[in-house]
Amino acid sequence: MDRPQSPISGNYGHRSLFSQGPSFTLETFSSQDFIVKDFIESLSDSAVPQSRRSGPSTQSFDPRPLIRTFEHALNQLSELSADLGEKEVEHAAAVRKAESQHTSNVQSLSRRLDSSLDNFRKLDQSLNGYANGRDGGGSEAVKIGEKLEDLDRQRIRAQDAKFLIQCWFEVSERGELFLLEDMRRQASGDRKIRCAQIARQLLKLSQRLDPVSWAKTNGSKVNGVNGINGSDGPAIKHNTREVVEKFSETLEKDLLKQFDEFAKRDRFEGMRECADVLRDFGGGASVIGMFVNQHSFFIDRSQLVTEEVVGDSETWELLADPDSDAPGVEASLQSLVDEVKIVVQEESTIIKKAFSYYETVLARFLQRIFQQSIQQKLEMVLDKAETVSTLAFLRSLQAARSCISSLVDDLKAHGLTEHPDTLSSNTASVLDQQFDDLFVPYFAGSSYIEREKRNLEELYSSLLFKFTVYHSRRRKAPTTILASLAKSGSELLTSAREAYVERLDSSDLAPQQKKRLLRVAGLKDNESARKQMESDFNEQDGVINTSNAKRMLRWLAEAVGRGLELGGGTETPRDVLALLDLLLTHMGTQYVEVALDAANDAAAAQENSKTEPDLSHLENIHAIINIMHLMLTCIHTVLLPLASSNTSVRRDMDKRTNTFMGGLEDKVNTLMQRTIDITISWVSKLLTRQQKFDFRPKDEMGTGGGAWLEQLQTPTCQSVFTFLTKVHNLTNNALSPSSNLTAMLTEVAVNVRTLLLEHFKKFTVSAMGGIMATKDISKYNELFRNWNLDESFQPTLEVLTEIGNIFVIGPDALRERMRGKQGVLGGVWDKGDLRPYVLRREDSNSIGIQSVLSAL
């Protein structure tokens, strides 16, 4: 039976009575997986027989196998350690030998490097100057080289002069240029450049030596002498100018044809050579023109901008609708701009490869695109928009300028021929110039702001058409000086209306624009404006409302924003001043001021009314004040800041605004004062309706039943209370909680209180009637306490309460109430002021009341 072998044990040469133990080598300990603990365990396991490891332990522990195993392992470790020591000694000797050799090599290389540096210094000294006081020969070599170069240049010039003389001899004697023809037929680009240079020189010679061919003389003499400069010379047999120019044309056509062939095969090197030759004697105009004119972008029929701009009808409707957002740039123009962006970016790469003077070619290409394709399309779009409405034109102009501006910015960001680097300043200037030239016709002088003004005038006049017609009919013939002044405003209103009607009915106005303006005005778009003006309008058409004002301000804000985007600059303050005048004229004079005049007229008509006055004119005050606030806010936040750069214009705008708003505020104050006067007048009339038996009932009224006592107040008091409550509600809605509301209600309350104090002096009050008088006074006080009055008025309400107490308390109580007081109600009244009311008591002749009167 074979004994199992340990994983680290080796092969045994013979079998021994005792276990030989495991064998191992240096690789066992050099392995990365070697662990001492595992190594010891494997030695222990190999010392224990297999039979003892598997069965139950019935024998006592025998250490001898372990001893023999570990002794054997120690012997092997000793042998391995001795071998390892020998190898270490050998390796150390090899290292010392290698270090010695390396040191020797470094020293040898250092000596060789020093020798090379010495040789280099000697050579450098010999070339640059004198060494050890003797000429090293370097400067002499340089001089010889310069002389050789100069001789070579002279040789080339001599050859060129010889060739030029030969060519001139051919053209003057034979009328031919065989030598140049041979040079032209050579495919080399350098030779063609040379051919072009010689042709140009021949033209100069012809101009000098053959003035006859240049039509400088009428015969063969110059200054009366044959030849040049007064010397006789051989007569020139041929027209040298014609021959040379004909050759130049042939050379140019040949080069252009060759350039075209190279372009069709995308051979950019050949294109560059031809372009350089053509530039050398023709400035490159012909090759640039051919390259640009034959570009597929301009040849393609889809780029020949001849089709009519149609567009979506809904888009044009949105453009003309002042209450909708602009839909953006016209579709065909946007498509063209997108295509131009791609074409220019792609073509710039080709231009840079095909031309050495690529910036000039790119500038010509950009000029052609902007001046032909984009400008024609832009003009067509704007012409179409102008037939729709002025607003559609302005919005289309804004959208087009923004779109083309984005195109220019994208091209600059791309870099074009300098991609991915920054675009050159020359090309950037070309783009800016072409962009500015596109829109010069639309911003020259005051043309743009005049369009904006005309657009706003049309929209404002349309929106206020019914309002204007209604109030122009309301005006009557003047009867006073103030009415005459008001009539002048009415005439202005009528003239503005007539001008607007004539424009609507004129044939110059585009049908679509007329239709849109009639819609804004709320009129039928299938009838004339004058005919509809003669129809009846209801009162609602003459009511001012905030929504119309907001629409007008929104249109103005759009115009201001568009102006800043399109033409913001030095003219902005004056443009803003023009828009301010427009706003004050239409929204201020023709809308707010007309509504105020109508309200004042309505209030004036109620001043002498025999029935309860109609205060419906107060219903418009809230809207008027809100619109005034909106106008002022718009002026201060939108218009005035834009005029800050021009002090005189800003000052003028402030003055006009303050003057106009001051006039409106004066009219509002006049209207509120009239309302107060009407209110006091009607309350006075109501108080005159007080019956003398209301506070001195007959005996049957006091004893006949409780119906009279059950009344809460007299009918007169109820009428006054109802009327003043209506006035309070109308005023509160008109002015809203504010200092103006408090001031107006306080003034009404003070005047009513004065009327009541005088009112109670007129009636004799009995004991029973005093109860009713007290109820009336309580009702008046209740009314005033519910109003938002000035705090100084509240204490005076106690005066009315005190008067009521005078009518109901007995003589003794009245005497006690007056005793010891120098004044009543904290000094508001003196005690003597109460005497008239004490006298109105029915029992004023009694002894008790007389004693009170004597104290007063």
Side-chain angles (χ1 to χ4, degrees), residues 113-371:
L113 177 61
D114 292 340
S115 177
S116 299
L117 290 175
D118 291 339
N119 293 333
F120 177 79
R121 280 193 295 269
K122 291 178 181 179
L123 178 62
D124 183 63
Q125 291 175 358
S126 65
L127 292 176
N128 294 328
Y130 293 92
N132 297 325
R134 294 179 299 174
D135 188 359
S139 58
E140 189 66 26
V142 172
K143 292 179 181 179
I144 293 174
E146 292 175 352
K147 290 181 179 180
L148 289 175
E149 291 178 356
D150 185 50
L151 290 174
D152 184 63
R153 286 193 295 269
Q154 292 179 7
R155 181 184 63 82
I156 293 174
R157 284 198 297 270
Q159 291 177 350
D160 292 343
K162 176 183 177 182
F163 187 77
L164 180 61
I165 293 172
Q166 291 174 346
C167 292
W168 173 252
F169 179 77
E170 281 188 341
V171 71
S172 61
E173 294 295 329
R174 303 177 186 176
E176 299 290 343
L177 286 171
F178 295 112
L179 294 176
L180 282 182
E181 286 289 347
D182 293 338
M183 185 182 293
R184 181 179 65 84
R185 294 189 183 95
Q186 296 178 7
S188 174
D190 294 337
R191 303 294 290 176
K192 289 182 178 179
I193 293 175
R194 181 63 185 150
C195 185
Q197 292 174 347
I198 293 175
R200 187 170 66 251
Q201 291 173 352
L202 286 175
L203 281 176
K204 293 180 180 179
L205 284 175
S206 173
Q207 188 174 6
R208 242 183 114 179
L209 302 178
D210 187 15
V212 176
S213 62
W214 289 81
K216 289 187 177 180
T217 60
N218 295 325
S220 60
K221 293 180 178 290
V222 179
N223 296 328
V225 183
N226 291 335
I228 305 300
N229 297 328
S231 61
D232 295 337
I236 298 177
K237 301 178 181 179
H238 300 278
N239 190 328
T240 57
R241 176 185 180 185
E242 181 180 349
V243 175
V244 176
E245 287 182 347
K246 183 177 180 181
F247 171 80
S248 298
E249 292 176 1
T250 304
L251 177 61
E252 184 176 8
K253 291 179 182 179
D254 185 28
L255 290 171
L256 288 174
K257 181 178 179 181
Q258 189 174 2
F259 180 88
D260 187 48
E261 292 176 354
F262 286 144
K264 292 178 181 179
R265 296 196 296 267
D266 292 335
R267 293 181 57 182
F268 299 114
E269 291 297 329
M271 294 172 65
R272 179 184 288 265
E273 290 181 358
C274 293
D276 290 340
V277 175
L278 290 167
R279 184 193 186 189
D280 189 70
F281 76 95
S286 58
V287 68
I288 295 175
M290 186 186 72
F291 177 80
V292 173
N293 296 333
Q294 293 185 1
H295 196 280
S296 59
F297 181 80
F298 303 108
I299 296 177
D300 192 354
R301 293 182 62 86
S302 63
Q303 299 305 328
L304 298 176
V305 190
T306 56
E307 71 274 10
E308 183 180 357
V309 177
V310 179
D312 185 9
S313 59
E314 182 179 355
T315 302
W316 293 112
E317 286 290 331
L318 290 175
L319 276 173
D321 187 2
D323 296 316
S324 64
D325 295 332
V329 69
E330 198 271 335
S332 62
L333 178 59
Q334 181 66 60
S335 176
L336 175 62
V337 168
D338 293 339
E339 187 169 358
V340 165
K341 177 182 176 181
I342 297 173
V343 168
V344 172
Q345 290 178 355
E346 293 177 349
E347 200 63 25
S348 60
T349 304
I350 298 176
I351 291 175
K352 187 171 184 179
K353 294 179 180 178
F355 295 90
S356 59
Y357 45 99
Y358 51 84
E359 284 194 359
T360 303
V361 181
L362 180 61
R364 179 72 176 275
F365 187 70
L366 291 173
Q367 290 171 0
R368 179 69 179 276
I369 286 180
F370 275 86
Q371 295 174 8

Side-chain angles (χ1 to χ4, degrees), residues 1-9 12 19 21-22 38 40-62 65-66 69:
M1 179 176 173
D2 295 334
R3 181 178 176 176
Q5 196 173 23
S6 172
I8 63 174
S9 62
Y12 297 97
S19 175
D38 295 341
I40 300 300
E41 288 180 354
S42 63
L43 291 177
S44 301
D45 291 341
S46 63
V48 180
Q50 185 69 25
S51 59
R52 291 186 179 183
R53 275 183 266 167
S54 60
S57 178
T58 57
Q59 298 178 359
S60 60
F61 174 73
D62 186 6
L66 292 173
T69 300

Side-chain angles (χ1 to χ4, degrees), residues 498-772:
E498 291 294 332
Y500 173 70
V501 170
E502 289 179 1
R503 174 160 175 76
L504 281 180
D505 291 338
S506 67
S507 58
D508 297 337
L509 194 65
Q512 293 182 344
Q513 185 173 2
K514 178 181 179 181
K515 183 178 180 181
R516 170 56 58 184
L517 293 178
L518 290 173
R519 287 183 184 178
V520 173
L523 302 176
K524 299 176 182 178
D525 54 11
N526 55 359
E527 296 182 11
S528 68
R530 186 170 298 279
K531 182 177 180 181
Q532 296 186 68
M533 185 181 69
E534 298 173 356
S535 60
D536 294 332
F537 296 120
N538 54 40
E539 294 183 359
Q540 194 63 31
D541 295 328
V543 175
I544 189 172
N545 61 79
T546 310
S547 60
N548 283 346
K550 289 181 178 179
R551 291 177 70 186
M552 296 171 76
L553 293 178
R554 187 166 57 249
W555 298 340
L556 177 69
E558 179 183 345
V560 172
R562 182 166 48 242
L564 289 177
E565 180 180 345
L566 295 180
T570 57
E571 296 299 324
T572 298
R574 299 192 180 277
D575 294 346
V576 172
L577 176 60
L579 294 179
L580 173 65
D581 291 339
L582 188 69
L583 180 67
L584 295 179
T585 299
H586 288 81
M587 189 173 179
T589 303
Q590 298 181 13
Y591 198 45
V592 176
E593 191 171 356
V594 168
L596 276 174
D597 291 341
N600 273 306
D601 292 344
Q606 301 298 320
E607 288 180 344
N608 299 317
S609 176
K610 295 182 180 180
T611 60
E612 180 178 328
D614 181 11
L615 301 180
S616 58
H617 60 271
L618 291 175
E619 296 175 354
N620 293 331
I621 297 300
H622 182 69
I624 290 174
I625 294 176
N626 282 343
I627 292 174
M628 290 172 59
H629 177 71
L630 289 174
M631 281 182 60
L632 198 59
T633 301
C634 177
I635 291 172
H636 283 289
T637 59
V638 177
L639 299 181
L640 289 180
L642 298 178
S644 300
S645 59
N646 192 321
T647 306
S648 61
V649 173
R650 171 64 185 264
R651 190 183 302 112
D652 188 20
M653 292 177 65
D654 280 328
K655 182 179 178 180
R656 295 188 189 188
T657 301
N658 294 335
T659 301
F660 185 80
M661 297 305 294
L664 293 182
E665 291 174 356
D666 291 342
K667 290 194 175 186
V668 172
N669 293 335
T670 301
L671 177 61
M672 302 315 296
Q673 187 60 50
R674 279 184 173 175
T675 303
I676 293 173
D677 296 341
I678 293 170
T679 301
I680 300 305
S681 176
W682 183 248
V683 170
S684 179
K685 289 181 180 180
L686 289 178
L687 291 176
T688 60
R689 298 177 184 178
Q690 188 87 52
Q691 300 296 321
K692 63 181 180 178
F693 296 109
D694 287 344
F695 303 126
R696 191 181 181 186
K698 297 179 180 179
D699 293 341
E700 59 271 17
M701 294 176 63
T703 59
W708 179 80
L709 289 175
E710 291 177 356
Q711 292 182 7
L712 297 178
Q713 55 273 145
T714 62
T716 300
C717 176
Q718 185 62 43
S719 299
V720 172
F721 181 86
T722 302
F723 176 68
L724 289 179
T725 301
K726 184 185 299 183
V727 172
H728 172 264
N729 293 336
L730 289 173
T731 307
N732 193 46
N733 292 333
L735 299 179
S736 299
S738 62
S739 59
N740 293 329
L741 175 64
T742 301
M744 179 178 176
L745 292 179
T746 300
E747 186 172 354
V748 171
V750 169
N751 284 277
V752 172
R753 185 197 62 186
T754 301
L755 291 176
L756 291 175
L757 292 176
E758 294 298 324
H759 177 70
F760 284 108
K761 292 180 181 180
K762 301 176 182 179
F763 297 91
T764 301
V765 182
S766 64
M768 295 296 295
I771 298 175
M772 187 58 66

Side-chain angles (χ1 to χ4, degrees), residues 437-453:
D437 291 346
L438 282 177
F439 297 95
V440 165
Y442 309 107
F443 297 103
S446 60
S447 58
Y448 170 73
I449 192 63
E450 290 300 326
R451 286 182 184 273
E452 287 285 6
K453 288 173 59 179

Side-chain angles (χ1 to χ4, degrees), residues 290-489:
M290 186 186 72
F291 177 80
V292 173
N293 296 333
Q294 293 185 1
H295 196 280
S296 59
F297 181 80
F298 303 108
I299 296 177
D300 192 354
R301 293 182 62 86
S302 63
Q303 299 305 328
L304 298 176
V305 190
T306 56
E307 71 274 10
E308 183 180 357
V309 177
V310 179
D312 185 9
S313 59
E314 182 179 355
T315 302
W316 293 112
E317 286 290 331
L318 290 175
L319 276 173
D321 187 2
D323 296 316
S324 64
D325 295 332
V329 69
E330 198 271 335
S332 62
L333 178 59
Q334 181 66 60
S335 176
L336 175 62
V337 168
D338 293 339
E339 187 169 358
V340 165
K341 177 182 176 181
I342 297 173
V343 168
V344 172
Q345 290 178 355
E346 293 177 349
E347 200 63 25
S348 60
T349 304
I350 298 176
I351 291 175
K352 187 171 184 179
K353 294 179 180 178
F355 295 90
S356 59
Y357 45 99
Y358 51 84
E359 284 194 359
T360 303
V361 181
L362 180 61
R364 179 72 176 275
F365 187 70
L366 291 173
Q367 290 171 0
R368 179 69 179 276
I369 286 180
F370 275 86
Q371 295 174 8
Q372 177 174 312
S373 301
I374 296 180
Q375 184 174 355
Q376 290 181 9
K377 176 61 73 173
L378 176 64
E379 291 175 352
M380 295 177 66
V381 170
L382 294 181
D383 290 343
K384 172 64 177 178
E386 195 166 20
T387 62
V388 176
S389 71
T390 306
L391 178 60
F393 176 88
L394 292 171
R395 285 180 167 180
S396 298
L397 179 63
Q398 179 186 13
R401 194 174 191 276
S402 176
C403 178
I404 299 174
S405 176
S406 298
L407 169 65
V408 172
D409 292 339
D410 291 341
L411 294 179
K412 289 181 179 179
H414 180 268
L416 300 182
T417 53
E418 309 301 326
H419 180 77
D421 296 332
T422 306
L423 187 67
S424 65
S425 59
N426 292 335
T427 306
S429 299
V430 170
L431 285 172
D432 292 335
Q433 185 63 43
Q434 294 304 313
F435 175 75
D436 293 338
D437 291 346
L438 282 177
F439 297 95
V440 165
Y442 309 107
F443 297 103
S446 60
S447 58
Y448 170 73
I449 192 63
E450 290 300 326
R451 286 182 184 273
E452 287 285 6
K453 288 173 59 179
R454 183 167 69 251
N455 170 58
L456 290 175
E457 287 173 354
E458 291 171 350
L459 293 176
Y460 287 172
S461 299
S462 298
L463 183 63
L464 303 180
F465 181 76
K466 287 186 176 182
F467 180 87
T468 303
V469 173
Y470 177 85
H471 285 283
S472 64
R473 293 177 181 177
R474 178 186 56 79
R475 301 293 179 96
K476 298 180 179 180
T479 57
T480 64
I481 296 178
L482 293 177
S484 299
L485 294 176
K487 185 181 179 182
S488 63

